[in-house]
Amino acid sequence: MRSRTVLTGLLVLAAIGINARSAAAQETVKIGIVIPMTGTSAAVGREISDATKLYVAQHGDTVAGKKIELLIRDDQSVPDNAKRLAQELIVNDKVNFLGAGLTPSAMSMAPIATEAKVATVVMVSGTSVVTERSPYYVRTSFTLGQQSGIIANWALKNGSKKAVSVLSDWAPGAEAGKAFEANFTKGGGQILDTLKVPLANPDFSPFLQRAHDLQPDTLFVFVPAGQAGTFARQFSERGLDKSGIRLIGPGDIVDDDDLPTTGDALLGVVTAGLYSAAHPSQLNKNYAAAYKKATGHRANFISVGGYDGMDLIYRALQKTNGNTEADAAIGAMKGMKWESPRGPISIDPSTRDIVQNIYIRKVEKVEGEPWAIEFETFPAVKDPLKEAAAH
Ligand code: PHB
């Protein structure tokens, strides 16, 4: 009760601050992004931080006459930290927009964004329900369902009959498994087992051994960004890359940030994903080259969530002529359509969720390095869990 009262008090102060700010001519638009810069998901934070800064460097720090200021805060992947940092960004720094990261943190920040009325771009989370937690949430990342149902259908069409799922044991893993297994069994496939691997410091070996022993023809795997390298190493150490079992998954298991260090372990792996650094558009060639030049890393599917999140905020500010008030900003974002390095994207006006192409890709070696090479496109895919609920 007590912390609730303190929280409400802070939010009232924040609301007064917001009114005072919008009354005066506002010169600076502050965007506060809460992501893990340290800890097990530090790679995700680095990618969002790098991509958002790259966007500002390329497009300038002035929009609709306002100066853009980025404030990046490290939540160490701890949801309570994310909530406190979001509160501090609103009350002390008087941010006009928030950026949210991983699912648990995005969930814990949602009531703060709602009560203080701050438009928030979800740049990482891939869990369907997150956008329903606040009317001021808009997503530029992805959902696991968007990718996992499509790869199930592809596998069935290509002869898969018996699958084992290996899933990182948290909300996005559960959703990946749910979407995969629903489509796979609907199409006549059989799920032999669903194995859940702890999220923190995972050891995949015993799970891979168990999966191998069940003799499936197909292994569906979800590991989050930052774990594909470890997974690939243990996968080939167990000899699974030579076992004849087909490895499939959402794009996370062939994360471009890790692919260059995976040698031959993932060659031939087919995934359904939203972004490959090898996406052949001119816009992406420019993006991937600029990202590499600025950071030394290959651009990946997490980075585009941050880059497009900034693009969405810039586009909304142009449309509202610099008005950052949450209802106006979110109103401007609904239905927004543009070209991302990943391909054409839009914001679904009824769900505030991203609509994007999902590509089927195969890992191939090009000029000595593995890349996810796109060979089939499913255009304008919505989050299937919300679609199912709406019909
Ligand atoms: C999430 O926070 O939902 C998330 C993070 C990383 C991933 C997928 C999902 O690769």
Coordinates of all heavy atoms in Angstrom, one line a residue, residues 44 101-104 124-127 142 144 170-172 222-226 252 301-302, ligand 1:
V44 N 22.0 -7.5 -26.0 CA 20.7 -6.9 -26.4 C 20.7 -5.4 -26.2 O 20.4 -4.6 -27.0 CB 19.5 -7.6 -25.7 CG1 18.2 -6.8 -26.0 CG2 19.3 -9.0 -26.2
G101 N 12.5 -2.6 -23.3 CA 13.3 -3.7 -23.8 C 12.7 -5.1 -23.7 O 11.7 -5.4 -24.2
L102 N 13.3 -5.9 -22.9 CA 13.0 -7.3 -22.7 C 11.6 -7.5 -22.1 O 11.1 -6.6 -21.3 CB 14.0 -8.1 -21.9 CG 15.4 -8.2 -22.5 CD1 16.4 -8.5 -21.5 CD2 15.4 -9.2 -23.7
T103 N 10.9 -8.6 -22.3 CA 9.6 -8.8 -21.9 C 9.3 -8.5 -20.4 O 8.4 -7.7 -20.1 CB 9.1 -10.2 -22.2 OG1 9.0 -10.3 -23.6 CG2 7.8 -10.6 -21.6
P104 N 10.1 -9.1 -19.5 CA 9.8 -8.9 -18.0 C 9.9 -7.4 -17.6 O 9.1 -6.9 -16.9 CB 10.9 -9.7 -17.3 CG 11.3 -10.8 -18.3 CD 11.3 -10.1 -19.6
V124 N 12.3 -4.5 -28.0 CA 12.8 -5.8 -27.9 C 11.8 -6.9 -27.7 O 11.8 -7.9 -28.4 CB 13.9 -5.9 -26.8 CG1 14.5 -7.3 -26.8 CG2 15.0 -4.9 -26.9
S125 N 10.9 -6.7 -26.8 CA 10.0 -7.8 -26.3 C 9.3 -8.5 -27.5 O 8.8 -7.8 -28.4 CB 9.0 -7.3 -25.4 OG 8.0 -8.3 -25.1
G126 N 9.3 -9.8 -27.4 CA 8.6 -10.6 -28.5 C 7.4 -11.4 -28.0 O 6.9 -12.3 -28.6
T127 N 6.9 -11.0 -26.8 CA 5.7 -11.6 -26.2 C 4.4 -10.9 -26.6 O 4.3 -9.7 -26.3 CB 5.9 -11.7 -24.7 OG1 7.2 -12.3 -24.4 CG2 4.9 -12.6 -24.1
F142 N 8.9 -7.6 -32.6 CA 8.4 -8.8 -33.3 C 7.6 -9.5 -32.2 O 7.7 -9.2 -31.1 CB 9.6 -9.6 -33.8 CG 10.6 -9.9 -32.7 CD1 10.4 -11.0 -31.8 CD2 11.7 -9.1 -32.6 CE1 11.4 -11.2 -30.8 CE2 12.7 -9.3 -31.6 CZ 12.5 -10.4 -30.7
L144 N 7.2 -13.8 -31.2 CA 7.6 -15.2 -31.5 C 6.6 -15.9 -32.3 O 6.9 -16.8 -33.1 CB 8.0 -15.9 -30.2 CG 9.4 -15.7 -29.7 CD1 10.4 -16.0 -30.8 CD2 9.7 -14.4 -29.1
W170 N 11.0 -19.1 -20.5 CA 10.3 -17.8 -20.0 C 9.3 -17.5 -21.1 O 9.1 -18.3 -22.0 CB 11.4 -16.7 -19.8 CG 12.3 -16.4 -20.9 CD1 12.9 -17.2 -21.8 CD2 12.6 -15.1 -21.4 NE1 13.7 -16.5 -22.7 CE2 13.5 -15.2 -22.5 CE3 12.2 -13.8 -21.0 CZ2 14.0 -14.1 -23.2 CZ3 12.8 -12.7 -21.7 CH2 13.6 -12.8 -22.8
A171 N 8.6 -16.4 -20.9 CA 7.4 -16.1 -21.7 C 7.6 -16.2 -23.2 O 6.8 -16.9 -23.9 CB 6.9 -14.7 -21.3
P172 N 8.6 -15.6 -23.8 CA 8.8 -15.7 -25.3 C 9.0 -17.2 -25.7 O 8.5 -17.6 -26.8 CB 10.0 -14.8 -25.7 CG 10.6 -14.4 -24.4 CD 9.6 -14.6 -23.3
F222 N 14.0 -22.5 -29.6 CA 14.1 -21.1 -29.4 C 15.1 -20.8 -28.3 O 14.9 -21.3 -27.1 CB 12.7 -20.5 -28.9 CG 12.8 -19.1 -28.3 CD1 13.1 -18.1 -29.2 CD2 12.8 -18.9 -27.0 CE1 13.3 -16.8 -28.7 CE2 12.9 -17.6 -26.4 CZ 13.2 -16.6 -27.3
V223 N 16.1 -20.0 -28.6 CA 16.9 -19.4 -27.6 C 16.9 -17.9 -27.8 O 16.8 -17.5 -29.0 CB 18.4 -19.9 -27.6 CG1 18.4 -21.4 -27.4 CG2 19.1 -19.6 -28.9
P224 N 17.0 -17.1 -26.8 CA 16.9 -15.6 -27.0 C 18.2 -15.1 -27.6 O 19.3 -15.7 -27.4 CB 16.6 -15.1 -25.7 CG 17.2 -16.0 -24.7 CD 17.0 -17.4 -25.4
A225 N 18.1 -13.9 -28.1 CA 19.3 -13.1 -28.6 C 20.4 -13.2 -27.6 O 20.2 -13.0 -26.4 CB 18.9 -11.7 -28.9
G226 N 21.6 -13.5 -28.0 CA 22.8 -13.5 -27.1 C 23.1 -15.0 -26.8 O 24.2 -15.2 -26.3
D252 N 15.8 -16.1 -34.0 CA 16.7 -15.9 -32.8 C 17.9 -16.9 -32.8 O 18.9 -16.6 -32.3 CB 15.9 -16.1 -31.5 CG 14.6 -15.3 -31.5 OD1 13.8 -15.5 -32.5 OD2 14.4 -14.4 -30.6
F301 N 18.6 -8.8 -35.7 CA 17.2 -8.6 -35.6 C 16.8 -7.7 -34.4 O 15.8 -7.1 -34.4 CB 16.4 -9.9 -35.6 CG 16.6 -10.7 -34.3 CD1 15.5 -10.8 -33.4 CD2 17.7 -11.4 -34.0 CE1 15.6 -11.5 -32.2 CE2 17.8 -12.2 -32.8 CZ 16.8 -12.2 -31.9
I302 N 17.6 -7.7 -33.3 CA 17.4 -6.8 -32.2 C 17.6 -5.4 -32.6 O 16.8 -4.5 -32.3 CB 18.2 -7.2 -31.0 CG1 17.9 -8.6 -30.5 CG2 18.1 -6.2 -29.9 CD1 16.6 -8.8 -29.8
Ligands
PHB1 C1 11.8 -10.8 -25.2 O1 12.2 -10.1 -24.3 O2 10.6 -11.1 -25.3 C2 12.8 -11.4 -26.2 C3 14.2 -11.1 -26.1 C4 15.1 -11.7 -26.9 C5 14.6 -12.5 -27.9 C6 13.3 -12.8 -28.0 C7 12.4 -12.3 -27.1 O3 15.5 -13.1 -28.8

